[in-house]
Amino acid sequence: MTAPATTAPEAAREPAAAPKALYVYGIAPAGIRTPRSHGVDGATVRLLTESGLCAAVSAAPPRLRPRRRDLLAHQAVLDELAAQGPVLPMRFAVLSPRTDTLLAQLRSDADHLTRQLEDVRGCVELNVKGTVVPGHFADLVRRDDKLRNLALRTRRRPDYEANVRLGEAIALGVRREARRAAREVVDRLAPLAVRTVQGTTDDEQVLSASFLLREGDEPRFRQAVAERSRACGDRLALSVTGPLPCYSFVDPRPATPAGR
């Protein structure tokens, strides 16, 4: 029996190239210019367009670590996007496994992403942090009857345990006053913002809040922060970071309906 004609042996065939992962910087309306800045790991940035949207991407590096130069590159790409209009920024190290996966996501989530782009159009994010000022305890002791009595008893009968109790009570009171001041700050600033998101706090940093602001409202907002800083500076040290891309106000995927 004559053997049928064969192609090249299986061992000689070239394996199919595996799809390359993409590093994703952000999503913007279609039609913007491609950022000229080099991306993470020095990669060239390009735009993938689908359904009236585009995603700024580059080839994902083989090893992704939060090195300063890569963090700055990530930010530089976002700055170029934001200079052209609204952008939904991705946090550092967001990857998509392949091009068709990302395009499919843009297609399926187009309405959700477009609405979010409109929500942040003409807006910036400012973050306000507040840390406890420990040095105002003398005034606190004068104003707080319980602390004043505890301090007097400790002075009359000083010992190690009494000093520890007094120190713990004062520290608790200082944090309580700082947290009260933090609530006052948010109450004053929130009406100036489109949206407000509270962040994580601890015993020292008792305030961390992000504010979505119309660009034209930024000077008034900073002035309000300065006024609150003067008003509560003995209890709470305030700092402002920004303007930032609207990281805290972006949800890249719509909520999954119940039952799915």
Side-chain angles (χ1 to χ4, degrees), residues 5-73:
T6 59
T7 58
E10 290 290 333
R13 292 182 183 173
E14 289 290 331
K20 291 185 177 181
L22 299 175
Y23 184 100
V24 186
Y25 299 88
I27 298 169
I32 64 170
R33 299 183 305 277
T34 303
R36 300 177 63 182
S37 298
H38 289 296
V40 170
D41 202 38
T44 300
V45 178
R46 58 194 177 96
L47 300 178
L48 297 177
T49 302
E50 174 63 51
S51 302
L53 301 166
C54 67
V57 302
S58 65
R63 295 184 65 190
L64 188 54
R65 293 174 294 174
R67 297 177 297 188
R68 183 174 184 273
R69 66 184 183 189
D70 286 335
L71 293 170
L72 291 175

Side-chain angles (χ1 to χ4, degrees), residues 14-245:
E14 289 290 331
K20 291 185 177 181
L22 299 175
Y23 184 100
V24 186
Y25 299 88
I27 298 169
I32 64 170
R33 299 183 305 277
T34 303
R36 300 177 63 182
S37 298
H38 289 296
V40 170
D41 202 38
T44 300
V45 178
R46 58 194 177 96
L47 300 178
L48 297 177
T49 302
E50 174 63 51
S51 302
L53 301 166
C54 67
V57 302
S58 65
R63 295 184 65 190
L64 188 54
R65 293 174 294 174
R67 297 177 297 188
R68 183 174 184 273
R69 66 184 183 189
D70 286 335
L71 293 170
L72 291 175
H74 179 95
Q75 185 63 43
V77 172
L78 287 175
D79 287 344
E80 284 199 49
L81 295 174
Q84 301 182 61
V87 59
L88 305 182
M90 299 295 110
R91 300 281 183 181
F92 182 81
V94 170
L95 302 179
S96 181
R98 46 196 287 171
T99 298
D100 57 353
T101 300
L102 183 54
L103 290 172
Q105 182 180 342
L106 292 179
R107 187 163 53 248
S108 63
D109 299 344
D111 290 344
H112 171 75
L113 295 170
T114 300
R115 282 195 300 271
Q116 288 201 92
L117 283 166
E118 287 306 310
D119 288 344
V120 301
R121 184 181 293 276
C123 293
V124 294
E125 176 178 331
L126 269 74
N127 180 263
V128 178
K129 287 184 170 57
T131 55
V132 175
V133 175
H136 82 287
F137 62 85
D139 181 60
L140 177 63
V141 170
R142 283 194 297 269
R143 290 187 288 107
D144 190 303
D145 289 341
K146 290 183 179 179
L147 281 178
R148 187 168 61 253
N149 291 333
L150 181 59
L152 288 173
R153 289 198 303 270
T154 302
R155 186 179 303 169
R156 291 177 186 137
R157 292 187 175 181
D159 60 44
Y160 175 77
E161 291 186 359
N163 285 330
V164 169
R165 286 195 299 271
L166 177 60
E168 291 175 344
I170 289 175
L172 183 63
V174 167
R175 289 196 297 271
R176 184 175 61 247
E177 291 284 309
R179 290 188 183 281
R180 182 179 298 140
R183 291 193 293 272
E184 294 171 359
V185 169
V186 174
D187 288 345
R188 293 294 184 93
L189 298 182
L192 304 177
V194 178
R195 288 171 59 196
T196 303
V197 172
Q198 297 273 14
T200 303
T201 60
D202 55 35
D203 285 347
E204 296 302 319
Q205 184 177 285
V206 296
L207 170 61
S208 177
S210 293
F211 298 86
L212 183 68
L213 298 171
R214 301 294 178 194
E215 290 177 339
D217 290 336
E218 184 181 342
R220 185 163 63 118
F221 183 87
R222 289 185 179 276
Q223 180 180 355
V225 173
E227 291 171 357
R228 295 316 306 162
S229 183
R230 289 192 293 271
C232 65
D234 60 336
R235 296 166 289 161
L236 192 67
L238 296 179
S239 63
V240 182
T241 303
L244 304 166

